[in-house]
Amino acid sequence: MIGKISQYYSYLLVLGSIGMTSWGLAGFTEYLFGTTVIIPLQNPNFPPGTQFIHWLLISLSGIVFLFGYFKRWKYTPNAKLVINASLATMCFIQTFDFMTREDRYISYALEVTNYIIVSIYLFKSKLMQERFRRV
């Protein structure tokens, strides 16, 4: 039963990574060319450098996981940990310095919790250890 749940969660991570890659590339397209792909993604409260790093990290998060997952790259958990820590740091800066939404602190807590859960899963899951040849 645990093995099936782990397998489904790994598929969810693949889907999420496809979403992150798409979101990041759409954000970059809008940032670089001013072309809205689906909906406006730029936050006018973020300085240009912050926007650039934001889209870079989001794109890298998806691309690195997809590459690592399908190539069975043994450094995938480490790379994702570094990217997740970078995303959490960027989100901290955005949340506490630039965002004005009332629910920003709850969103930040949920985002960081997600990064922690994904990182633990990548390092501790037997399925991921086998996939990335870490056992």
Side-chain angles (χ1 to χ4, degrees):
M1 178 68 163
I2 297 291
K4 281 283 186 202
I5 293 170
S6 183
Q7 187 69 52
Y8 292 138
Y9 188 67
S10 73
Y11 296 152
L12 185 64
L13 291 180
V14 169
L15 287 175
S17 294
I18 292 168
M20 290 289 276
T21 302
S22 301
W23 180 34
L25 295 177
F28 255 133
T29 299
E30 186 177 321
Y31 174 81
L32 294 171
F33 305 110
T35 306
T36 301
V37 177
I38 298 173
I39 60 170
L41 296 173
Q42 304 307 306
N43 187 326
N45 295 329
F46 296 176
T50 302
Q51 288 279 32
F52 178 83
I53 295 169
H54 175 83
W55 297 123
L56 177 66
L57 290 173
I58 289 171
S59 299
L60 281 176
S61 178
I63 291 166
V64 165
F65 183 77
L66 291 171
F67 170 82
Y69 186 84
F70 290 110
K71 290 291 190 176
R72 295 178 177 260
W73 184 44
K74 71 178 182 176
Y75 297 110
T76 302
N78 301 76
K80 277 294 288 179
L81 180 64
V82 170
I83 292 169
N84 286 347
S86 300
L87 280 165
T89 302
M90 176 55 67
C91 189
F92 179 89
I93 293 165
Q94 292 168 340
T95 300
F96 289 90
D97 288 346
F98 305 118
M99 291 180 115
T100 56
R101 288 189 352 244
E102 232 175 87
D103 69 340
R104 65 188 178 268
Y105 303 115
I106 292 169
S107 295
Y108 175 71
L110 290 172
E111 192 168 333
V112 170
T113 300
N114 177 57
Y115 297 146
I116 292 168
I117 290 168
V118 169
S119 296
I120 291 170
Y121 175 73
L122 291 176
F123 279 99
K124 296 295 184 180
S125 161
K126 183 179 179 191
L127 181 68
M128 293 295 102
Q129 288 178 355
E130 289 171 0
R131 178 160 205 94
F132 301 123
R133 297 179 202 99
R134 299 178 68 87
V135 288

